[in-house]
Amino acid sequence: MFLRRKFSFWFSIISIIICLGDYLGIGFANIILVRLNPIIDTLIFMKPFANWMVDANNTEWAASSILISVRFPTYVIHFGTFLILGLLIDYLIYIFKQK
């Protein structure tokens, strides 16, 4: 059944949708991409990572943190965190089913 796939599959699909939404310019996707992902939210304000994760030269960055122009590594980190979270949930379900 299509709906009975693993969490890692669904979290990956959700991450791709969020990343595509941000890339296409949907503002709500940017909030989800940056602010609701604690790893990206932490790394984006650290000096060595900020330059390759966001476009610091963008004037919108200073005006509103909602309109952060992110670069490709940010999308990769977002997808990776969602995939790892899905795999962790799948593993926990597997462990509980074994007991």
Side-chain angles (χ1 to χ4, degrees):
M1 297 260 220
F2 184 72
L3 294 175
R4 296 188 68 190
R5 299 215 183 228
K6 297 187 179 277
F7 279 92
S8 56
F9 172 80
W10 288 113
F11 277 36
S12 299
I13 295 296
I14 290 169
S15 176
I16 290 170
I17 291 170
I18 291 170
C19 291
L20 281 175
D22 181 67
Y23 182 75
L24 295 174
I26 299 171
F28 184 68
N30 193 289
I31 295 169
I32 296 171
L33 179 72
V34 175
R35 296 294 176 196
L36 296 181
N37 190 325
I39 294 173
I40 293 175
D41 195 32
T42 302
L43 290 177
I44 211 163
F45 295 109
M46 295 176 76
K47 276 288 185 202
F49 302 112
N51 290 334
W52 57 270
M53 289 184 70
V54 297
D55 185 11
N57 296 327
N58 190 355
T59 57
E60 294 175 350
W61 166 264
S64 174
S65 63
I66 294 174
L67 301 173
I68 296 172
S69 178
V70 296
R71 295 183 178 173
F72 184 72
T74 309
Y75 297 128
V76 173
I77 293 171
H78 186 270
F79 180 78
T81 55
F82 269 53
L83 179 64
I84 290 171
L85 181 63
L87 289 172
L88 180 66
I89 292 171
D90 288 339
Y91 181 69
L92 290 174
I93 290 172
Y94 174 76
I95 288 176
F96 286 126
K97 282 185 177 181
Q98 294 294 326
K99 291 184 177 184

XYZ file of all heavy atoms in Angstrom:
819
model
N 0.823 -1.177 0.000
C 0.000 0.000 0.000
C 0.876 1.252 0.000
O 1.889 1.297 0.682
C -0.891 0.021 1.232
C -1.843 -1.102 1.296
S -3.383 -0.466 0.753
C -4.491 -1.218 1.828
N 0.436 2.245 -0.736
C 1.231 3.469 -0.898
C 1.311 4.268 0.399
O 2.340 4.845 0.710
C 0.640 4.320 -2.017
C 1.442 5.536 -2.316
C 2.662 5.420 -2.947
C 0.988 6.790 -1.951
C 3.421 6.536 -3.235
C 1.735 7.912 -2.224
C 2.953 7.784 -2.869
N 0.239 4.309 1.169
C 0.228 5.106 2.386
C 0.954 4.453 3.551
O 1.198 5.096 4.563
C -1.216 5.430 2.792
C -1.970 6.335 1.832
C -3.416 6.479 2.292
C -1.313 7.688 1.737
N 1.311 3.203 3.414
C 1.961 2.488 4.517
C 3.471 2.478 4.376
O 4.142 1.618 4.917
C 1.418 1.069 4.589
C -0.074 1.073 4.918
C -0.573 -0.270 5.168
N 0.028 -0.738 6.421
C -0.044 -1.967 6.863
N -0.681 -2.875 6.163
N 0.507 -2.316 7.980
N 4.022 3.422 3.665
C 5.469 3.515 3.513
C 6.097 3.951 4.824
O 5.437 4.407 5.738
C 5.821 4.491 2.413
C 5.285 4.066 1.086
C 6.228 4.438 0.017
N 5.642 4.066 -1.270
C 6.290 3.424 -2.175
N 7.531 3.090 -1.981
N 5.727 3.126 -3.308
N 7.398 3.869 4.878
C 8.130 4.211 6.088
C 8.201 5.718 6.294
O 8.011 6.496 5.374
C 9.525 3.615 6.014
C 9.496 2.095 5.954
C 10.893 1.561 6.050
C 10.893 0.069 6.007
N 10.636 -0.548 7.270
N 8.492 6.108 7.542
C 8.607 7.524 7.866
C 9.738 8.187 7.104
O 9.643 9.356 6.738
C 8.825 7.708 9.375
C 7.560 7.633 10.161
C 7.126 6.427 10.697
C 6.804 8.762 10.379
C 5.961 6.354 11.423
C 5.632 8.707 11.106
C 5.206 7.494 11.631
N 10.816 7.463 6.859
C 11.933 8.054 6.123
C 11.504 8.468 4.717
O 11.943 9.501 4.204
C 13.117 7.089 6.068
O 12.731 5.855 5.510
N 10.629 7.699 4.094
C 10.115 8.052 2.775
C 9.293 9.333 2.847
O 9.507 10.272 2.075
C 9.274 6.903 2.214
C 8.542 7.257 0.949
C 9.210 7.258 -0.262
C 7.195 7.591 0.976
C 8.544 7.584 -1.430
C 6.519 7.917 -0.187
C 7.197 7.915 -1.389
N 8.348 9.386 3.782
C 7.460 10.542 3.877
C 8.200 11.800 4.312
O 7.923 12.890 3.812
C 6.289 10.246 4.804
C 5.331 9.297 4.185
C 5.060 8.024 4.589
C 4.533 9.518 3.012
N 4.148 7.443 3.748
C 3.806 8.341 2.769
C 4.373 10.583 2.143
C 2.925 8.208 1.702
C 3.508 10.459 1.072
C 2.786 9.280 0.865
N 9.135 11.677 5.244
C 9.904 12.844 5.660
C 10.763 13.360 4.514
O 10.941 14.565 4.362
C 10.764 12.515 6.882
C 10.017 12.598 8.190
C 8.696 12.227 8.298
C 10.652 13.039 9.322
C 8.013 12.304 9.496
C 9.990 13.129 10.530
C 8.671 12.762 10.616
N 11.303 12.463 3.702
C 12.085 12.886 2.536
C 11.218 13.625 1.531
O 11.619 14.660 0.986
C 12.736 11.681 1.864
O 13.608 11.033 2.739
N 10.015 13.118 1.283
C 9.089 13.779 0.360
C 8.705 15.160 0.891
O 8.679 16.150 0.145
C 7.832 12.915 0.125
C 8.197 11.610 -0.576
C 6.767 13.681 -0.642
C 8.765 11.787 -1.959
N 8.417 15.259 2.177
C 8.065 16.547 2.782
C 9.223 17.531 2.657
O 9.024 18.705 2.337
C 7.638 16.358 4.252
C 6.294 15.634 4.312
C 7.571 17.687 4.992
C 5.908 15.173 5.702
N 10.448 17.061 2.894
C 11.612 17.924 2.770
C 11.795 18.419 1.341
O 12.102 19.598 1.125
C 12.868 17.183 3.224
O 14.006 17.982 3.027
N 11.598 17.548 0.376
C 11.715 17.959 -1.026
C 10.658 19.007 -1.363
O 10.943 20.000 -2.042
C 11.623 16.735 -1.955
C 12.880 15.882 -1.809
C 11.419 17.149 -3.403
C 12.807 14.540 -2.497
N 9.444 18.828 -0.872
C 8.377 19.800 -1.123
C 8.712 21.155 -0.494
O 8.530 22.207 -1.113
C 7.021 19.265 -0.616
C 6.568 18.086 -1.488
C 5.968 20.363 -0.582
C 5.375 17.341 -0.940
N 9.223 21.136 0.730
C 9.592 22.378 1.399
C 10.731 23.077 0.654
O 10.690 24.290 0.427
C 9.980 22.111 2.869
C 8.758 21.694 3.675
C 10.639 23.341 3.497
C 9.084 21.177 5.057
N 11.749 22.309 0.241
C 12.881 22.895 -0.473
C 12.457 23.448 -1.829
O 12.882 24.538 -2.221
C 13.992 21.868 -0.643
S 14.816 21.423 0.900
N 11.606 22.727 -2.543
C 11.110 23.230 -3.825
C 10.252 24.474 -3.632
O 10.327 25.420 -4.420
C 10.317 22.149 -4.556
C 11.136 21.090 -5.276
C 10.217 20.012 -5.857
C 11.984 21.702 -6.365
N 9.440 24.473 -2.589
C 8.626 25.645 -2.293
C 9.478 26.862 -2.000
O 9.193 27.973 -2.463
N 10.558 26.682 -1.252
C 11.448 27.797 -0.963
C 12.171 28.248 -2.228
O 12.308 29.438 -2.483
C 12.464 27.403 0.102
C 13.378 28.552 0.446
O 12.878 29.541 1.018
O 14.576 28.481 0.114
N 12.622 27.302 -3.027
C 13.331 27.637 -4.264
C 12.427 28.398 -5.239
O 12.881 29.302 -5.928
C 13.867 26.367 -4.921
C 14.654 26.617 -6.169
C 15.945 27.133 -6.091
C 14.114 26.365 -7.416
C 16.675 27.377 -7.240
C 14.838 26.601 -8.572
C 16.124 27.103 -8.469
O 16.830 27.352 -9.615
N 11.158 28.047 -5.255
C 10.213 28.711 -6.146
C 9.700 30.035 -5.590
O 8.969 30.741 -6.264
C 9.039 27.781 -6.459
C 9.405 26.524 -7.238
C 8.203 25.604 -7.363
C 9.967 26.878 -8.604
N 10.060 30.366 -4.358
C 9.741 31.679 -3.810
C 8.548 31.758 -2.896
O 8.059 32.844 -2.618
N 8.063 30.640 -2.411
C 6.957 30.669 -1.463
C 7.535 31.048 -0.101
O 8.376 30.349 0.439
C 6.249 29.301 -1.407
C 5.678 28.965 -2.779
C 5.171 29.308 -0.348
C 5.154 27.557 -2.889
N 7.092 32.160 0.457
C 7.670 32.690 1.687
C 7.487 31.802 2.892
O 8.342 31.722 3.758
N 6.364 31.111 2.970
C 6.097 30.241 4.109
C 7.095 29.087 4.166
O 7.483 28.645 5.233
C 4.664 29.713 4.034
C 4.263 28.889 5.218
C 4.120 29.477 6.460
C 4.045 27.537 5.097
C 3.759 28.724 7.566
C 3.681 26.774 6.196
C 3.539 27.374 7.428
N 7.533 28.627 2.998
C 8.506 27.535 2.952
C 9.838 27.974 3.544
O 10.530 27.182 4.173
C 8.697 27.053 1.518
N 10.188 29.241 3.392
C 11.441 29.736 3.946
C 11.421 29.695 5.459
O 12.415 29.359 6.091
C 11.693 31.166 3.452
C 13.100 31.616 3.714
O 13.466 31.849 4.857
N 13.868 31.725 2.662
N 10.286 30.003 6.056
C 10.168 29.947 7.515
C 10.341 28.509 7.987
O 11.047 28.246 8.956
C 8.807 30.510 7.967
C 8.713 31.999 7.628
C 8.597 30.294 9.458
C 7.327 32.564 7.793
N 9.706 27.574 7.303
C 9.816 26.164 7.675
C 11.232 25.662 7.441
O 11.784 24.921 8.250
C 8.795 25.314 6.889
C 7.376 25.708 7.266
C 9.030 23.828 7.125
C 6.318 25.077 6.407
N 11.831 26.082 6.344
C 13.171 25.614 5.991
C 14.205 26.041 7.009
O 15.023 25.244 7.450
C 13.552 26.138 4.602
C 14.932 25.758 4.079
C 14.936 24.281 3.717
C 15.292 26.587 2.879
N 14.174 27.291 7.421
C 15.230 27.819 8.277
C 14.849 27.787 9.751
O 15.562 27.230 10.574
C 15.592 29.258 7.848
C 16.605 29.855 8.802
C 16.124 29.257 6.429
N 13.737 28.372 10.108
C 13.419 28.574 11.518
C 12.956 27.318 12.248
O 13.187 27.191 13.443
C 12.352 29.657 11.672
C 12.803 31.001 11.208
C 13.898 31.489 12.088
N 14.403 32.756 11.582
C 15.545 33.272 11.945
N 16.306 32.639 12.807
N 15.940 34.407 11.456
N 12.326 26.400 11.572
C 11.821 25.204 12.248
C 12.776 24.028 12.168
O 12.448 22.941 12.631
C 10.447 24.824 11.686
C 9.345 25.853 11.939
C 8.022 25.363 11.372
C 9.200 26.167 13.416
N 13.938 24.225 11.589
C 14.972 23.199 11.568
C 16.091 23.679 12.490
O 16.843 24.583 12.138
C 15.490 22.994 10.146
C 16.376 21.783 10.023
O 17.117 21.456 10.931
N 16.298 21.131 8.890
N 16.221 23.099 13.682
C 17.173 23.634 14.661
C 18.627 23.571 14.208
O 19.425 24.425 14.590
C 16.946 22.767 15.901
C 16.217 21.571 15.429
C 15.490 21.948 14.184
N 18.985 22.608 13.380
C 20.373 22.516 12.912
C 20.688 23.676 11.980
O 21.708 24.343 12.126
C 20.614 21.155 12.235
C 20.493 20.052 13.276
C 21.983 21.118 11.571
C 20.547 18.671 12.719
N 19.798 23.937 11.035
C 20.023 25.055 10.113
C 19.935 26.378 10.853
O 20.743 27.285 10.621
C 19.017 24.999 8.947
C 19.301 23.784 8.078
C 19.097 26.265 8.108
C 18.302 23.562 6.975
N 18.988 26.500 11.758
C 18.826 27.742 12.511
C 20.065 28.043 13.341
O 20.422 29.206 13.535
C 17.587 27.665 13.401
C 17.163 29.024 13.918
O 17.367 30.019 13.189
O 16.633 29.098 15.038
N 20.742 27.038 13.838
C 21.965 27.238 14.602
C 23.146 27.555 13.683
O 23.898 28.495 13.931
C 22.288 25.986 15.438
O 21.183 25.712 16.291
C 23.539 26.188 16.261
N 23.312 26.777 12.625
C 24.457 26.952 11.734
C 24.409 28.250 10.940
O 25.457 28.791 10.576
C 24.549 25.776 10.758
C 24.946 24.431 11.336
C 24.916 23.366 10.249
C 26.330 24.502 11.966
N 23.232 28.749 10.670
C 23.097 29.920 9.805
C 23.665 31.183 10.450
O 24.017 32.137 9.756
C 21.623 30.102 9.401
C 21.530 30.720 8.033
C 20.860 30.930 10.380
C 20.166 30.565 7.417
N 23.789 31.190 11.770
C 24.317 32.355 12.458
C 25.739 32.148 12.975
O 26.262 33.007 13.681
C 23.387 32.747 13.615
C 22.045 33.201 13.131
C 20.927 32.421 13.325
C 21.908 34.393 12.452
C 19.686 32.826 12.866
C 20.677 34.812 11.988
C 19.568 34.030 12.192
N 26.374 31.050 12.616
C 27.761 30.802 12.989
C 28.659 31.279 11.855
O 28.372 31.043 10.682
C 27.982 29.321 13.286
C 27.198 28.841 14.491
S 27.355 27.093 14.765
C 28.989 27.022 15.466
N 29.741 31.933 12.192
C 30.594 32.591 11.211
C 31.074 31.694 10.064
O 30.894 32.053 8.924
C 31.805 33.226 11.898
C 31.506 34.574 12.438
C 31.360 35.550 11.307
C 31.170 36.932 11.893
N 30.553 37.849 11.012
N 31.686 30.557 10.308
C 32.224 29.841 9.136
C 31.148 29.268 8.223
O 31.382 29.056 7.045
C 33.076 28.725 9.736
C 32.592 28.564 11.123
C 32.015 29.879 11.539
N 29.956 29.036 8.747
C 28.911 28.397 7.942
C 27.969 29.389 7.269
O 27.354 29.066 6.267
C 28.088 27.439 8.806
C 28.910 26.377 9.465
C 29.081 26.376 10.830
C 29.514 25.399 8.710
C 29.842 25.401 11.444
C 30.276 24.420 9.305
C 30.449 24.428 10.678
N 27.841 30.570 7.822
C 26.850 31.530 7.333
C 27.074 31.910 5.876
O 26.120 32.047 5.113
C 26.861 32.774 8.207
N 28.330 32.069 5.473
C 28.607 32.521 4.109
C 28.239 31.508 3.047
O 27.879 31.882 1.940
C 30.080 32.904 3.970
C 30.395 34.160 4.742
O 29.534 34.987 4.973
N 31.633 34.283 5.165
N 28.361 30.230 3.339
C 28.019 29.248 2.310
C 26.613 28.696 2.460
O 26.169 27.903 1.632
C 29.051 28.128 2.214
C 29.311 27.342 3.455
C 30.221 27.603 4.407
C 28.649 26.136 3.860
N 30.157 26.650 5.390
C 29.208 25.731 5.074
C 27.625 25.364 3.308
C 28.782 24.597 5.748
C 27.208 24.231 3.989
C 27.794 23.864 5.188
N 25.871 29.140 3.483
C 24.486 28.700 3.646
C 23.479 29.744 3.197
O 22.390 29.392 2.753
C 24.215 28.326 5.103
C 24.915 27.052 5.511
S 24.524 26.556 7.177
C 22.831 26.060 6.974
N 23.806 31.023 3.342
C 22.885 32.089 2.956
C 23.618 33.103 2.093
O 24.831 33.207 2.122
C 22.270 32.806 4.180
C 21.440 31.870 5.008
C 23.326 33.467 5.011
N 22.834 33.856 1.342
C 23.378 34.943 0.532
C 23.437 36.188 1.411
O 22.458 36.910 1.545
C 22.496 35.170 -0.695
C 23.074 36.189 -1.638
O 24.253 36.573 -1.452
O 22.356 36.604 -2.562
N 24.583 36.422 2.034
C 24.735 37.534 2.974
C 24.728 38.877 2.265
O 24.477 39.900 2.888
C 26.025 37.377 3.771
N 24.971 38.904 0.970
C 24.972 40.155 0.212
C 23.568 40.601 -0.174
O 23.390 41.701 -0.685
C 25.822 40.010 -1.050
C 27.272 39.751 -0.704
O 27.776 40.234 0.301
N 27.941 38.979 -1.534
N 22.589 39.760 0.061
C 21.209 40.086 -0.275
C 20.700 41.166 0.680
O 20.810 41.045 1.893
C 20.348 38.820 -0.172
C 18.964 39.014 -0.727
O 18.588 40.105 -1.117
N 18.205 37.944 -0.756
N 20.122 42.223 0.148
C 19.648 43.319 1.000
C 18.424 42.929 1.807
O 18.147 43.526 2.837
C 19.315 44.550 0.133
O 18.346 44.178 -0.843
C 20.558 45.081 -0.537
N 17.672 41.922 1.362
C 16.499 41.471 2.109
C 16.900 40.815 3.422
O 16.128 40.771 4.358
C 15.672 40.499 1.271
C 15.058 41.134 0.055
C 14.347 40.112 -0.813
O 14.498 38.909 -0.563
O 13.658 40.529 -1.749
N 18.122 40.291 3.492
C 18.615 39.637 4.706
C 18.608 40.616 5.875
O 18.189 40.289 6.973
C 20.016 39.105 4.455
C 20.772 38.701 5.665
C 21.670 39.439 6.359
C 20.702 37.446 6.347
N 22.163 38.733 7.409
C 21.592 37.515 7.427
C 19.977 36.286 6.151
C 21.774 36.457 8.299
C 20.173 35.238 7.025
C 21.054 35.323 8.079
N 19.032 41.835 5.643
C 19.077 42.828 6.717
C 17.686 43.339 7.072
O 17.410 43.651 8.227
C 19.974 43.989 6.301
N 16.804 43.426 6.099
C 15.476 43.985 6.337
C 14.552 43.011 7.059
O 13.818 43.394 7.953
C 14.849 44.410 5.011
N 14.578 41.757 6.659
C 13.668 40.791 7.244
C 14.309 39.416 7.231
O 14.707 38.926 6.186
C 12.360 40.749 6.453
O 11.550 39.721 6.938
N 14.400 38.790 8.389
C 15.010 37.467 8.453
C 14.086 36.391 7.887
O 14.488 35.262 7.721
C 15.399 37.121 9.886
O 14.247 37.074 10.691
N 12.835 36.762 7.590
C 11.919 35.790 6.991
C 12.302 35.521 5.545
O 12.151 34.420 5.043
C 10.460 36.302 7.079
C 10.030 36.375 8.527
C 9.522 35.421 6.294
C 8.679 37.001 8.727
N 12.853 36.511 4.879
C 13.175 36.391 3.466
C 14.648 36.054 3.234
O 15.310 36.672 2.425
C 12.820 37.698 2.741
C 11.357 38.106 2.851
C 11.150 39.477 2.248
C 10.470 37.085 2.172
N 15.153 35.104 3.954
C 16.543 34.703 3.820
C 16.723 33.962 2.502
O 16.000 33.025 2.201
C 16.966 33.798 5.000
C 16.885 34.572 6.299
C 18.361 33.261 4.779
C 17.088 33.723 7.522
N 17.704 34.395 1.732
C 18.009 33.733 0.475
C 19.052 32.649 0.753
O 20.213 32.956 1.019
C 18.545 34.758 -0.526
O 18.888 34.124 -1.727
N 18.631 31.400 0.724
C 19.524 30.305 1.078
C 20.200 29.737 -0.163
O 19.716 29.893 -1.276
C 18.780 29.188 1.841
C 18.259 29.698 3.155
C 17.675 28.597 1.020
N 21.310 29.070 0.077
C 22.067 28.444 -1.000
C 21.870 26.932 -0.953
O 21.265 26.394 -0.036
C 23.534 28.804 -0.872
C 23.773 30.284 -1.065
C 25.215 30.623 -1.016
N 25.376 32.060 -1.254
C 26.513 32.673 -1.144
N 27.596 32.013 -0.790
N 26.588 33.968 -1.373
N 22.400 26.238 -1.945
C 22.188 24.805 -2.105
C 22.579 23.968 -0.877
O 21.855 23.031 -0.529
C 22.923 24.308 -3.361
C 22.675 22.865 -3.652
C 21.441 22.445 -4.129
C 23.662 21.917 -3.430
C 21.206 21.112 -4.395
C 23.433 20.587 -3.691
C 22.204 20.186 -4.177
N 23.712 24.222 -0.194
C 24.041 23.398 0.987
C 22.962 23.404 2.066
O 22.792 22.421 2.783
C 25.341 24.011 1.506
C 25.956 24.632 0.318
C 24.808 25.148 -0.502
N 22.206 24.495 2.163
C 21.126 24.553 3.144
C 20.037 23.546 2.803
O 19.499 22.880 3.687
C 20.539 25.970 3.204
O 21.601 26.902 3.376
C 19.551 26.105 4.338
N 19.733 23.410 1.513
C 18.747 22.417 1.082
C 19.236 20.997 1.373
O 18.461 20.141 1.790
C 18.443 22.563 -0.406
C 17.817 23.875 -0.789
C 18.349 24.657 -1.802
C 16.671 24.348 -0.150
C 17.774 25.854 -2.170
C 16.087 25.545 -0.501
C 16.642 26.299 -1.508
O 16.065 27.480 -1.861
N 20.519 20.754 1.167
C 21.084 19.424 1.428
C 21.021 19.098 2.914
O 20.650 17.980 3.302
C 22.536 19.335 0.900
C 23.190 18.031 1.306
C 22.573 19.508 -0.610
N 21.354 20.072 3.758
C 21.288 19.858 5.210
C 19.848 19.617 5.648
O 19.578 18.739 6.481
C 21.916 21.049 5.963
C 23.415 21.096 5.704
C 21.626 20.968 7.454
C 24.091 22.344 6.214
N 18.912 20.367 5.084
C 17.503 20.180 5.433
C 17.036 18.783 5.049
O 16.397 18.087 5.847
C 16.649 21.244 4.730
C 15.224 21.224 5.145
N 14.278 20.464 4.501
C 14.585 21.857 6.161
C 13.120 20.641 5.096
N 13.273 21.484 6.100
N 17.351 18.357 3.836
C 16.960 17.017 3.400
C 17.614 15.948 4.276
O 16.966 14.977 4.681
C 17.345 16.797 1.929
C 16.980 15.444 1.418
C 15.675 15.156 1.064
C 17.932 14.441 1.303
C 15.320 13.900 0.600
C 17.594 13.191 0.851
C 16.284 12.912 0.493
N 18.887 16.141 4.596
C 19.594 15.173 5.436
C 19.013 15.053 6.829
O 18.871 13.952 7.366
N 18.642 16.178 7.433
C 18.070 16.110 8.780
C 16.708 15.434 8.763
O 16.393 14.659 9.672
C 17.955 17.507 9.422
O 17.203 18.366 8.570
C 19.310 18.105 9.683
N 15.904 15.707 7.747
C 14.605 15.047 7.664
C 14.767 13.553 7.398
O 14.029 12.737 7.952
C 13.745 15.701 6.572
C 12.877 16.813 7.067
C 13.408 17.868 7.794
C 11.529 16.811 6.817
C 12.612 18.898 8.255
C 10.710 17.840 7.260
C 11.262 18.879 7.983
N 15.721 13.181 6.557
C 15.964 11.769 6.275
C 16.447 11.046 7.525
O 15.961 9.952 7.850
C 16.975 11.614 5.142
C 17.341 10.193 4.758
C 16.122 9.450 4.218
C 18.465 10.190 3.743
N 17.373 11.639 8.247
C 17.890 11.014 9.472
C 16.795 10.888 10.525
O 16.687 9.864 11.206
C 19.104 11.799 10.007
C 20.295 11.603 9.065
C 19.462 11.379 11.420
C 21.476 12.494 9.357
N 15.965 11.914 10.645
C 14.850 11.840 11.590
C 13.884 10.726 11.206
O 13.425 9.959 12.063
C 14.115 13.180 11.658
C 12.945 13.261 12.631
C 13.427 13.049 14.060
C 12.254 14.596 12.490
N 13.572 10.599 9.932
C 12.698 9.522 9.468
C 13.304 8.146 9.707
O 12.607 7.219 10.128
N 14.599 8.010 9.446
C 15.269 6.728 9.696
C 15.281 6.385 11.182
O 15.114 5.219 11.565
C 16.698 6.767 9.149
C 16.836 6.762 7.636
C 18.287 7.007 7.233
C 16.335 5.454 7.051
N 15.459 7.393 12.027
C 15.438 7.170 13.471
C 14.063 6.699 13.934
O 13.952 5.759 14.731
C 15.848 8.451 14.208
C 15.877 8.379 15.727
C 16.963 7.432 16.184
C 16.092 9.759 16.303
N 13.013 7.327 13.437
C 11.653 6.910 13.794
C 11.380 5.492 13.290
O 10.807 4.668 14.013
C 10.613 7.910 13.248
C 10.754 9.246 13.977
C 9.198 7.373 13.397
C 9.924 10.362 13.378
N 11.808 5.188 12.061
C 11.642 3.836 11.527
C 12.374 2.809 12.386
O 11.858 1.719 12.652
C 12.154 3.749 10.088
C 11.257 4.459 9.108
O 10.067 4.681 9.429
O 11.744 4.800 8.002
N 13.574 3.155 12.837
C 14.348 2.239 13.672
C 13.675 2.028 15.026
O 13.613 0.898 15.527
C 15.768 2.777 13.860
C 16.643 1.892 14.696
C 17.057 0.651 14.229
C 17.045 2.279 15.964
C 17.854 -0.173 15.007
C 17.835 1.472 16.752
C 18.230 0.246 16.260
O 19.018 -0.569 17.031
N 13.148 3.098 15.615
C 12.449 2.964 16.903
C 11.189 2.113 16.761
O 10.884 1.292 17.636
C 12.107 4.339 17.470
C 13.285 5.171 17.952
C 12.827 6.567 18.351
C 13.999 4.479 19.098
N 10.470 2.274 15.670
C 9.288 1.433 15.423
C 9.705 -0.023 15.258
O 9.059 -0.931 15.789
C 8.518 1.945 14.188
C 7.853 3.275 14.513
C 7.482 0.927 13.727
C 7.236 3.964 13.319
N 10.800 -0.259 14.564
C 11.308 -1.622 14.379
C 11.675 -2.261 15.721
O 11.362 -3.426 15.974
C 12.524 -1.591 13.446
C 13.212 -2.908 13.303
C 12.662 -3.919 12.519
C 14.414 -3.158 13.959
C 13.299 -5.142 12.383
C 15.046 -4.373 13.830
C 14.496 -5.360 13.052
O 15.120 -6.566 12.932
N 12.320 -1.486 16.584
C 12.698 -2.005 17.907
C 11.459 -2.331 18.736
O 11.384 -3.375 19.386
C 13.603 -0.990 18.648
C 14.976 -0.957 18.007
C 13.713 -1.335 20.126
C 15.906 0.079 18.600
N 10.458 -1.454 18.733
C 9.248 -1.701 19.518
C 8.444 -2.866 18.975
O 7.771 -3.560 19.724
C 8.392 -0.441 19.606
C 8.949 0.588 20.539
C 9.163 1.877 20.094
C 9.256 0.276 21.853
C 9.684 2.843 20.945
C 9.787 1.214 22.704
C 9.992 2.504 22.258
N 8.486 -3.113 17.671
C 7.775 -4.253 17.107
C 8.455 -5.566 17.453
O 7.818 -6.605 17.489
C 7.671 -4.118 15.582
C 6.606 -3.153 15.155
C 6.470 -3.153 13.645
C 5.362 -2.250 13.196
N 5.205 -2.251 11.726
N 9.763 -5.518 17.694
C 10.499 -6.726 18.057
C 10.162 -7.199 19.466
O 10.284 -8.370 19.763
C 12.015 -6.489 17.941
C 12.485 -6.254 16.520
C 12.298 -7.488 15.653
O 12.428 -8.615 16.111
N 11.985 -7.254 14.389
N 9.787 -6.281 20.318
C 9.505 -6.639 21.728
C 8.147 -7.220 21.911
O 7.267 -7.257 21.238
C 9.665 -5.423 22.616
C 11.097 -4.994 22.730
C 11.215 -3.860 23.693
C 12.703 -3.502 23.836
N 12.938 -2.502 24.801
